């Protein structure tokens, strides 16, 4: 889609708003990609898809207009605000203009589409931050919800979802202490690669020889992290091992890693230990007993689907029965909190197939259920095979079914996030039986607390105690690069103490 900004140098610097326009374009017209033609767009009906934005000041009012052409039809949207906002401090003025641009584009776009997306004009990854901030500034839950619906045109179902998660976030925030952080350990290996995967995870069949050196690197980083945290006077509140699939490690390897974590990290105040056991084809009794023996209280066993045909289509080499067996084994070993992930929108899935999968997971009695919406990204083999995917409308029905069914079964939503290129512009939601939510998922998603990452593909996010500053320190993505940069990775841990000393 061609995007053009009418120049008005005294009023705005259009380049600053490219990102906002692109975000709204992806929300309304997901298949489109932005272009910025040098020639003027005349926006005549029947011309190519395009959007033209103009900002004008007339007396006390500023007006942002969007002229949008889509599949031969044209519509105009506008958003007006007090002209005095243009003279506000630059950051404030930028946000006001950005919001007006999105709303003008949204009004024109939805007029052409004849419908509004579930999240309205909200384009960010973390929609929960808005109601959280509103309530922190004194709004009642009802006012926070109404603001989402009024200012961003969010649907009532989604505003309730965001509000529930905001309340869970505020409840957790009130328990956090300034000297606490969370720790993430990444094991970017999997037994095989799923068709929809865009993570850095390496197929262990081809990278087996890297696992042992990688583990050695992680053990060294665990020790360095422990020293850095103690030097900064920090302790660990929650511990999370993800991937990839951490249980790709053998039982002795997992034992070495968890022993190193217990000995190296300041875990004396840690209240939550999670390990993603992920794929059933990596789970056996010996590994589960190692996890249990090290005090891991929460594990994930992620079916994604319980439909045989869908498992084949995503490249899994196990059956639905293997998932049920892994779950039963985990209960037998004594795990009292199990999360199960499902994905809506997988290839060869259907509304009825998704419903069967969700009902199957609920019948098992998982304490946490995370419902993802398929997001296709570069790097996933599915990107090329869109014909196998259920339609966006069907995915929306799956999500609606999950909302109603999980609420009906007594689960509550406690964290959510959205991604680019997500089917139907929907969301990923973590659900929990009351009181069993994962603190790590909330603090990580809502950026409430520092998360120190260890291992390839992880990003340490240092959050200042007042929450106003976030410093990102990424580790190299791929195991090979991680190993090649060990010294840099270890040296980077020194920044933790420096960051906290500055706050
Ligand atoms: S289990 Fe997860 S990380 Fe591993 S290949 Fe599949 S989607 Fe990727």
């Amino acid at each position: 889609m061609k995007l053009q900004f009418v120049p008005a140098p005294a009023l705005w610097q259009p380049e600053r708003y490219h990102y906002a326009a692109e975000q709204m374009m992806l929300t309304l017209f997901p298949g489109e990609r932005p272009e910025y033609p040098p020639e003027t767009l005349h926006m005549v009906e029947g011309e190519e898809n395009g959007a033209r934005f103009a900002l004008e000041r007339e007396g006390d009012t500023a007006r942002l207009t969007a002229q949008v052409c889509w599949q031969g039809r044209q519509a105009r949207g506008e958003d007006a605000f007090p002209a005095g906002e243009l003279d506000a401090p630059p950051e404030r003025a930028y946000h006001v203009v950005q919001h007006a641009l999105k709303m003008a584009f949204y009004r024109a776009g939805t007029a052409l589409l004849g419908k509004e997306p579930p999240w309205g004009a909200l384009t960010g990854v973390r929609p929960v931050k808005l109601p959280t901030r509103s309530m922190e500034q004194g709004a009642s839950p009802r006012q926070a919800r109404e603001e989402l619906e009024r200012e961003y045109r969010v649907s009532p179902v989604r505003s309730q979802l965001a509000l529930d998660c905001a309340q869970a976030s505020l409840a957790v925030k009130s328990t956090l202490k300034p000297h606490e952080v969370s720790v993430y350990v990444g094991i970017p290996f999997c037994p095989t690669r799923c068709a929809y995967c865009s993570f850095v995870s390496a197929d262990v069949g081809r990278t087996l020889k890297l696992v042992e050196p990688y583990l050695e690197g992680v053990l060294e980083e665990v020790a360095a992290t422990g020293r850095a945290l103690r030097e900064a006077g920090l302790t660990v509140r929650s511990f999370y091992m993800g991937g990839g699939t951490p249980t790709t490690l053998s039982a002795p390897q997992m034992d070495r890693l968890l022993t190193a974590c217990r000995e190296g990290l300041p875990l004396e105040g840690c209240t939550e230990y999670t390990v993603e056991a992920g794929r059933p084809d990596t789970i056996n009794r010996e590994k589960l007993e190692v996890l249990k023996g090290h005090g891991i209280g929460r594990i994930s066993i992620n079916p994604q689907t319980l439909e045989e045909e869908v498992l084949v289509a995503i490249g899994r080499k196990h059956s639905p029965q293997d998932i049920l067996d892994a779950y039963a084994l985990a209960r037998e070993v004594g795990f009292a909190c199990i999360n199960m992930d499902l994905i809506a929108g997988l290839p060869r899935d259907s509304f009825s197939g998704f419903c069967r999968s969700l009902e199957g997971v609920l019948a098992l009695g998982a304490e946490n259920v995370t419902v993802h919406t398929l997001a296709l990204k570069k790097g996933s083999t599915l990107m090329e095979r869109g014909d196998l995917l259920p339609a966006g409308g069907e995915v929306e029905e799956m999500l609606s079914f999950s909302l109603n069914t999980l609420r009906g079964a007594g689960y509550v939503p406690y964290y959510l996030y959205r991604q680019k290129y997500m089917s139907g512009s929907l969301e990923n939601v973590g659900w929990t039986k009351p009181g069993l939510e994962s603190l790590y998922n909330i603090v990580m998603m809502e950026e409430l607390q520092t998360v120190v990452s260890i291992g390839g593909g992880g990003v340490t996010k240092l959050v200042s105690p007042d929450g106003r500053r976030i410093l990102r320190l990424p580790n190299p993505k791929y195991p090979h690069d991680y190993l090649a940069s060990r010294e840099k990775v270890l040296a980077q841990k020194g920044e933790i103490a420096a960051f906290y000393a500055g706050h």
Side-chain angles (χ1 to χ4, degrees), residues 190 192-194 196-197 199 201 243-245 279 316:
C190 288
T192 54
R193 196 170 163 86
C194 304
Y196 56 85
C197 184
F199 297 151
S201 193
T245 307
R279 299 188 22 179
R316 291 288 181 97

